[in-house]
Amino acid sequence: MNVNFLLMGILLLSCTSPKPIKGAVVSAREEASAIGVEIMKQGGTAFDALIATDLALTVCYPNAGNISGGGFLVYRTAEGKVGSLDYREKAPMGASADMYLDEQGNVMPGKSTLGGLAVGVPGTVAGLAAIHKKFGTLPWEDLVQPAIDLARKGYFVTKKQQRSFESKKEDFIAVNGPDTFYAQDFKAGDRVQNTALAETLERIAKYGKAGFYQGPVAEDLVNRVMETGGVITLEDLLAYEPVWRDPINFQYKDLNIYAMGPPSSGGICLAQIMKMIEPYNVGQYDHNSKEAMQVIVEAERRSYADRSLYLGDPDFVNVPKDSLLDVTYLNKRMNSFTFEKATKSTDIAPGSIQWEESEETTHYSIVDPLGNAVAVTTTLNGSYGSKVFVENGGYFLNNEMDDFSSKPGVPNMFGLIGGKANAIAPQKRMLSAMTPTIVERKGKLAMVVGTPGGSTIITSVLQTILNVYEFDMDVQSAVSAARFHHQWLPDVVVFEPGQFNPSLIKSLQDKGYNIKEEYSRIIGRVDAIQISESGEITTGADPRGDDTAVPLY
Ligand code: DON
């Protein structure tokens, strides 16, 4: 071939084919994703970008982004080393098993969700500092600075955010009084400048972990908790330490999956469900078809039943991980399933409970040009946590204590029930469902995924992975696709509103599945990155929220 033609061909190709993506941040807000990418442009890794993205979310996504909650990191380095960090909140030293019960032994409504008593000892800043110590390549202050700038210059309110502020305004005022910062009626397009938070972040930039857990920031936090009926002390803050733990690792067909282990139930439940599903080869059925949904729902039912009994903080209770993940055990669990008829949750274990609306958490996924990958899910638990706002510090406090089982058999705000394994004890971590997950295929990084959604987190991560690897979707379609959920109790399949064909719903009802349309709601906000076998990076940002993928070219 004539050399000129060849050169022209190459030139044309490079003009028409899209620029390859070298890395990406997918998070709940464009500003936060862009800040993470900017850090990578400055030569930072995914771990550096994580710190900057996380703190930016604290500023512009105050319902879930936080310095005063907790979270989990699952990572895979460019060299293929995998690990996880647990920076989940802990019960304060002054907590006790019956702290939310009245004299008759009944759970006092609202005590574990609203106000100071709902607050767990925060883990986020300690977690970020530990990540920086182990993996950081850029100076800590440079990673905190973008969030300081965002807090000073202000972030813009989105339409969804305006609705979120409006829906919680009464609670903000009930807990903090009418002059509280976030009762200001911010409208879409308004710029929110949070100087108090900028000052808090400045102390964190200067003193690292100590900038939050000691000194004036710690004192303000403790005072605010005390004023609102809580029991956290300076001693609690000083004692907080995150823990590096081994993630749960399992194989599903040709996938090698790593997800967060206890004190999250995410990894164990995801592994149980996928191992129960594996023999049924769900990819042979259509996506969201009756048969595929039956298999998935039945596996979910059985796993969530186990969750309620066996899972809790591994530093306090013996979690029978190996038995729960034993393939013979899991196959036996599915023996009672037939395509003819729904299993009843009462036949798996007794009980009947109310379903509550899910609130907010946030997940982000990052891949850098070197091939490091991080999956982080972080939360205040409910939207804006306990609604307790530290006015001097510019941030909300979590209500993570509600993730404990206040009383055996009594559901928490996600309708999840638990027993002794997840009972409250001083300095214990409450059980979580957060499921930051990393998937490998043929020894290479293949996917980074996670989501908020309380009890629906595990089943949303599950469906996203299945959508890609069983139903052949690209990652954005996999994230956007309609989702459903079952969690053993209540014995109800929840469908996203208006997304499922009435004839499909009817055919499941005919099999005995309990489908209550009034429970219909958005399920999860998944942020994922897929890496093809040839190394091509594609992203999936959930259209259910303001989630945005920012690529690094
Ligand atoms: O750790 C957990 O499982 C819960 N605190 C997560 C809460 C959550 O996802 C709320 N979001 N929608």
Side-chain angles (χ1 to χ4, degrees), residues 63-64 70-72 88-89 263-266 307 357-362 377-383 399-403 412-414 416 430-435 451-458 521-522 524-525:
N63 53 318
F72 300 112
R88 180 73 161 165
E89 299 93 324
S264 179
S265 60
R307 177 192 197 276
E357 276 290 301
S358 154
E359 300 280 334
E360 301 284 342
T361 288
T362 194
T377 315
T378 177
T379 189
L380 293 167
N381 193 26
S383 240
N399 60 351
E400 218 71 57
M401 290 295 285
D402 189 63
D403 273 347
N412 72 1
M413 64 191 267
F414 301 109
L416 292 167
M430 51 299 276
L431 185 62
S432 173
M434 293 192 284
T435 317
T451 182
S455 55
T456 68
I457 289 175
I458 300 161
R521 59 180 172 79
I522 286 172
R525 283 178 194 81

